[in-house]
Amino acid sequence: MAGGGGAKAEEPQPHPPKEQLPGVSFCITSPPKWPEAILLGFQHYIVMLGTTVIIPTALVPQMGGGNEEKAKVIQTLLFVAGLNTLTQTLFGSRLPAVIGGSYTFVAATISIILAGRFSGDVEDANPIVKFKRTMRAIQGAMIVASTLQIVLGFSGLWRNVTRFLSPLSAVPLVSLAGFGLYEFGFPGVAKCVEIGLPQLIILILVSQYAPNVLHSGKNIFDRFAVIVTVVIVWIYAHLLTVGGAYNDAAPKTQASCRTDRAGLIDAAPWFLSQIRIPYPFQWGPPTFDAGEAFAMMVTSFVALVESTGAFIAVSRFASATPLPASILSRGVGWQGIGILLSGLFGTVNGSSVSVENAGLLALTRVGSRRVVQISAGFMIFFSILGKFGAVFASIPPAIVAALYCLFFAYVGSGGLSFLQFCNLNSFRTKFILGFSIFMGFSVPQYFNEFTAIRGYGPVHTSGRWFNDMINVPFSSEAFVAGCLAYFLDITLQRGDSAVRKDRGKHWWDKFRYFRTDTRSEEFYSLPFNLNKYFPSV
């Protein structure tokens, strides 16, 4: 206003940092009503089926197993995932984290499969014998590898490591736990674009646009978008399959598009005629090889770092406070027990936090612990109810890849959200963020590209186990970025008080120990008054 009498224009203010994520409908301790919770739990079960089916489908034939062995391994992996998810939500981190199969363990597992001692006249004549011998070797390596996470978690060593973690160093770790899995996203969609692309488009329309256009007020579209869209596209894919659209297609196209490509439905037992409950040592006593055990231990450590990022993302999407270091360490210890169970039962794969299910928490905005515990019940139930479980497992991989595009993106953005606690005007912050994220993509790209061209990794000696000890860690985006950011953050100008604020450490000080914030008791305390006997520090 002329004459200077007008009020001063209000300066724009940045969004205030939030220790707990706002906008979540149900947080970790507030479950939905039972009917809705059951549907949401079933949705988590559908999402985790992708990894559960894809990994055994790829590995079991290389081991000499047929459709029957493949179905049994998938049932076993599903059963163990249900047990591990229950124990993690009850006694571990107590976060709504699904503990399932992990792609990280695949490389070390393939090295065991290709070991020369499993190729001989007897195995060539009877591939089932080779399958069981290979499985027992994988079990032995898993059992030994599980001790790493069990010791690091329950001894408190990982607690001491993660107490130095700051919001700044958490950003590359959590972000690349999601973004680093980009190779399982659109490349999988493109393998059957006529199924994968409609799934991706319809999922975005139903989950993001429909709630804003229809204004139903019941959150049906965003909460149940996965079930709705998967059923629609699944029916469409099945019509293409039975209509003969893929009868003359290439084998790889059929594997990505058909709803009957895996042979699981025919191989799975009926509930009434043959109930099969997986049990330890069902393939025979495990065998042990020192080199393979060491390689699997390194792989287990890589999975530990990746799961640390996923745990942090789950705590964010569940609208819980940042994880105290002791709770994170306790969760790691129970994850180690999960790998031990994988070795005892013979799942052909290790266990880690399911990144895709962490992304589903963000999509539904439901971070309830009870929902994930219900999903664990579905895992155990359908692992025993073989025939019906196999029907759900027949979802084409292209549909799963379309879901990954959304879920992995959510987890990556969850990592970026910790930038709200950091000073982005600091050149130290810019260097650590930029360099660690860039190298987190660049180093694994070199290792993976080298392997794709040559058929082996940059480190190539006569010992496959030694090659895996070097190649596997540097092929993981989250591991490279997380370790690099952590090292730079604790060594570069760490003593400066201004730097402490730049890295956001002052925001997490109150969560460094369990009892320094009252909300930790609400979110992370053990049930049945067990905190009295197993106190967190």
Side-chain angles (χ1 to χ4, degrees):
M1 182 182 295
K8 185 179 179 181
E10 183 179 349
E11 291 290 331
Q13 297 294 322
H15 295 288
K18 300 289 186 181
E19 295 171 346
Q20 293 177 251
L21 182 65
V24 175
S25 301
F26 297 95
C27 74
I28 185 172
T29 56
S30 58
K33 293 181 180 179
W34 278 105
E36 187 174 359
I38 291 172
L39 273 177
L40 288 166
F42 181 73
Q43 195 167 235
H44 272 280
Y45 163 74
I46 291 293
V47 167
M48 67 83 59
L49 268 182
T51 305
T52 304
V53 173
I54 289 172
I55 293 176
T57 299
L59 295 180
V60 170
Q62 299 183 55
M63 298 165 63
N67 286 339
E68 183 178 348
E69 286 70 35
K70 189 193 306 178
K72 288 180 179 179
V73 171
I74 290 173
Q75 283 180 269
T76 304
L77 183 54
L78 200 56
F79 183 81
V80 172
L83 294 180
N84 289 337
T85 301
L86 276 179
T87 55
Q88 186 65 235
T89 54
L90 284 172
F91 309 114
S93 65
R94 304 228 65 206
L95 289 169
V98 172
I99 308 297
S102 171
Y103 292 107
T104 304
F105 289 89
V106 170
T109 303
I110 290 177
S111 290
I112 297 176
I113 294 172
L114 299 178
R117 69 182 187 279
F118 299 120
S119 299
D121 296 336
V122 176
E123 288 76 16
D124 290 338
N126 189 350
I128 304 303
V129 175
K130 178 184 178 182
F131 165 78
K132 290 186 176 180
R133 288 187 61 190
T134 309
M135 176 65 83
R136 288 156 55 194
I138 295 170
Q139 287 181 256
M142 289 283 182
I143 291 171
V144 175
S146 68
T147 59
L148 178 74
Q149 292 198 24
I150 292 173
V151 170
L152 288 178
F154 290 132
S155 69
L157 289 174
W158 197 244
R159 174 192 66 207
N160 296 333
V161 171
T162 53
R163 275 191 178 144
F164 294 100
L165 199 65
S166 70
L168 176 58
S169 54
V171 170
L173 173 62
V174 181
S175 295
L176 268 68
F179 293 146
L181 299 172
Y182 62 89
E183 61 188 291
F184 299 107
F186 195 79
V189 172
K191 289 179 182 177
C192 188
V193 70
E194 65 270 27
I195 291 176
L197 195 57
Q199 171 64 42
L200 181 58
I201 293 173
I202 296 174
L203 178 62
I204 292 174
L205 290 175
V206 172
S207 65
Q208 306 300 321
Y209 288 91
N212 297 318
V213 172
L214 300 179
H215 300 292
S216 66
K218 295 183 179 180
N219 302 108
I220 294 176
F221 296 102
D222 46 355
R223 273 185 207 164
F224 303 106
V226 171
I227 290 180
V228 171
T229 58
V230 166
V231 168
I232 292 172
V233 180
W234 191 8
I235 293 172
Y236 161 63
H238 187 65
L239 291 176
L240 291 178
T241 300
V242 299
Y246 303 113
N247 288 349
D248 299 321
K252 288 186 176 180
T253 301
Q254 294 195 36
S256 297
C257 300
R258 295 184 70 98
T259 57
D260 60 354
R261 88 286 177 203
L264 296 176
I265 298 177
D266 293 334
W270 282 104
F271 178 63
L272 295 177
S273 63
Q274 185 182 357
I275 298 175
R276 183 182 182 277
I277 300 177
Y279 56 92
F281 308 123
Q282 58 188 327
W283 314 109
T287 58
F288 299 90
D289 179 89
E292 292 168 356
F294 280 122
M296 197 64 78
M297 287 183 77
V298 172
T299 303
S300 175
F301 183 71
V302 175
L304 161 60
V305 174
E306 293 173 345
S307 291
T308 298
F311 273 130
I312 295 172
V314 170
S315 69
R316 187 71 182 164
F317 292 140
S319 194
T321 53
L323 271 168
S326 59
I327 303 301
L328 181 55
S329 188
R330 190 176 72 195
V332 165
W334 278 98
Q335 184 173 273
I337 291 179
I339 298 175
L340 176 62
L341 291 177
S342 298
L344 294 176
F345 281 81
T347 63
V348 87
N349 191 245
S351 301
S352 68
V353 179
S354 171
V355 178
E356 54 267 35
N357 288 87
L360 181 60
L361 297 176
L363 178 68
T364 60
R365 301 183 188 181
V366 176
S368 169
R369 184 188 295 129
R370 180 181 293 174
V371 167
V372 171
Q373 290 171 339
I374 291 172
S375 76
F378 279 116
M379 297 173 209
I380 296 173
F381 179 72
F382 284 114
S383 68
I384 299 171
L385 197 68
K387 187 68 71 174
F388 293 99
V391 171
F392 295 118
S394 66
I395 299 173
I399 292 179
V400 175
L403 299 177
Y404 286 170
C405 289
L406 212 60
F407 298 148
F408 294 160
Y410 263 124
V411 173
S413 65
L416 295 179
S417 70
F418 292 109
L419 289 173
Q420 64 184 301
F421 304 113
C422 306
N423 180 12
L424 294 179
N425 292 317
S426 163
F427 278 97
R428 177 187 183 274
T429 301
K430 295 178 188 296
F431 166 69
I432 293 175
L433 279 178
F435 185 68
S436 59
I437 291 176
F438 179 83
M439 296 302 287
F441 282 114
S442 189
V443 173
Q445 174 65 21
Y446 165 71
F447 274 76
N448 294 330
E449 192 176 89
F450 191 103
T451 304
I453 295 173
R454 304 285 185 88
Y456 51 83
V459 178
H460 181 60
T461 66
S462 58
R464 286 182 176 274
W465 61 271
F466 178 78
N467 301 339
D468 288 337
M469 290 180 69
I470 308 300
N471 292 329
V472 169
F474 290 104
S475 299
S476 167
E477 287 84 355
F479 181 84
V480 173
C483 291
L484 195 55
Y486 181 87
F487 174 78
L488 293 173
D489 191 38
I490 65 174
T491 58
L492 192 60
Q493 297 175 298
R494 181 169 170 264
D496 195 327
S497 58
V499 167
R500 181 177 177 80
K501 288 189 175 181
D502 289 347
R503 55 201 286 252
K505 190 64 177 172
H506 60 296
W507 282 99
W508 280 10
D509 277 344
K510 68 174 73 172
F511 309 108
R512 190 176 184 186
Y513 299 96
F514 180 76
R515 301 201 180 277
T516 50
D517 188 271
T518 55
R519 290 169 292 179
S520 296
E521 183 78 23
E522 175 190 356
F523 295 136
Y524 304 117
S525 62
L526 291 170
F528 316 122
N529 203 27
L530 289 175
N531 263 29
K532 180 180 178 181
Y533 306 100
F534 304 99
S536 300
V537 295

